[in-house]
Amino acid sequence: MKLWIKSVQVAATYIGTIVGAGFASGQEIVAFFTSYGDAGTWAIWVSTGLFMWLAYRMMLLAQQLGTPSYESFNRLLFGSIAGRIMNVLVFLTLLGVTTVMLAGAGSVLEQQFNFPYTFGIITTAIAAFLLLRKGLDRLLAINSIVVPTMLLFSFLILIDGDVASPLPFPPPDSFEILWQAVLYVSFNLAMAQAVLIPIGYAIKERAVLKRAGIIGGCGLGFMMLSSHIAMLANWEQIRHLEVPIIFITGQWNDWLQLFFVFVLYSEIFTTLISNVFGIGQQVRELVNIPETRVYLALFTVSFLLCFIGYSDLLLFLYPLFGYLGLATFVKLVLTRAAKTKRPRQN
């Protein structure tokens, strides 16, 4: 039973890392799936299978290679030079995403509760810092609490939409939609490596990693499918909206609207803490300093970047991160962990 509980905790952390503001708003689902109509449902099924299998592969490789962070993981997977280049890109992009999540949390609190923007950023950073000080166990615990509310929200969206609209769905006319599935999974797994690799390194039981990959992938698939079905049923109304999910929840009562705000903030918060945790593990592998100082420095830098304009750099790094994700995707598929097995680092 304890191993099943641990599996669920890891799966919840996996989901919490993948699901961010873009997912919660519906923008990602529309861009990658719903804009392709009924055929987008095929891509969601493919994405679900890839999310299950590749997350398990990544955690298993981290366990067998004995790599506690994406720093050492990428160096072993890609070689010294290419690995270092990729680590720089991962670091910069994760820092950028961390900044965007922090700024997004401040914006949500400002728009919904009239809190000052700076106050929202600071309180979110303090809450994340206090949680991260407790280590991996607390990261797993908070996701085990938050992710069920995300799944409940997806269920509410599902029953609010027209389930019959995309089913039965015809086969795709081309491989383009399946390529979209590969792009979506590879991009998100490149970001998720910041937390999946430390988890794979820390957990010794292979069964836990396998179950976590399956449960996490199924959870992500359910959330993607729920949003896709609801937005496909309301395509003409949401196709040009920046936050399409707001149209779906617009008819809900005040309490459900407040629940949506909680889910949105939670999805931002879980992505934030996962990114900072992953960066912290990398920095600690390079420099022997206490984790609390690393986290404090990261939040300070991100806080400052919220005010000096980081969006242009982020727009430049995101495409690079997509290519990095494809490289990681291919390596995960082709690498045989047993042939490169190394002793666990102390």
Side-chain angles (χ1 to χ4, degrees), residues 169-313:
F169 47 89
D173 296 330
S174 68
F175 287 103
E176 182 182 0
I177 186 62
L178 301 181
W179 176 242
Q180 289 296 111
V182 171
L183 288 176
Y184 185 71
V185 173
S186 62
F187 174 82
N188 280 287
L189 277 181
M191 190 178 302
Q193 66 176 284
V195 69
L196 289 181
I197 290 169
I199 287 176
Y201 172 79
I203 294 179
K204 299 179 181 179
E205 300 87 1
R206 179 181 292 196
V208 171
L209 303 182
K210 187 173 184 179
R211 293 169 187 164
I214 294 173
I215 296 170
C218 287
L220 287 167
F222 172 72
M223 296 173 73
M224 289 188 292
L225 189 61
S226 299
S227 296
H228 171 66
I229 288 174
M231 289 187 290
L232 190 59
N234 298 278
W235 177 244
E236 291 302 324
Q237 291 82 9
I238 62 93
R239 58 187 302 180
H240 298 302
L241 298 179
E242 292 186 3
V243 186
I245 207 67
I246 287 182
F247 180 85
I248 308 299
T249 61
Q251 306 302 315
W252 293 3
N253 61 43
D254 292 341
W255 286 105
L256 288 178
Q257 288 280 359
L258 185 62
F259 179 62
F260 166 65
V261 173
F262 171 76
V263 170
L264 178 60
Y265 181 83
S266 298
E267 292 182 351
I268 292 172
F269 187 77
T270 54
T271 302
L272 170 68
I273 59 176
S274 296
N275 283 356
V276 174
F277 176 79
I279 297 174
Q281 295 302 303
Q282 182 203 19
V283 173
R284 286 198 69 238
E285 192 174 357
L286 298 174
V287 183
N288 186 23
I289 57 178
E291 285 184 339
T292 53
R293 293 185 182 180
V294 175
Y295 296 146
L296 185 61
L298 287 172
F299 281 120
T300 301
V301 171
S302 294
F303 174 77
L304 295 175
L305 290 174
C306 286
F307 298 97
I308 64 175
Y310 200 67
S311 58
D312 290 339
L313 180 58

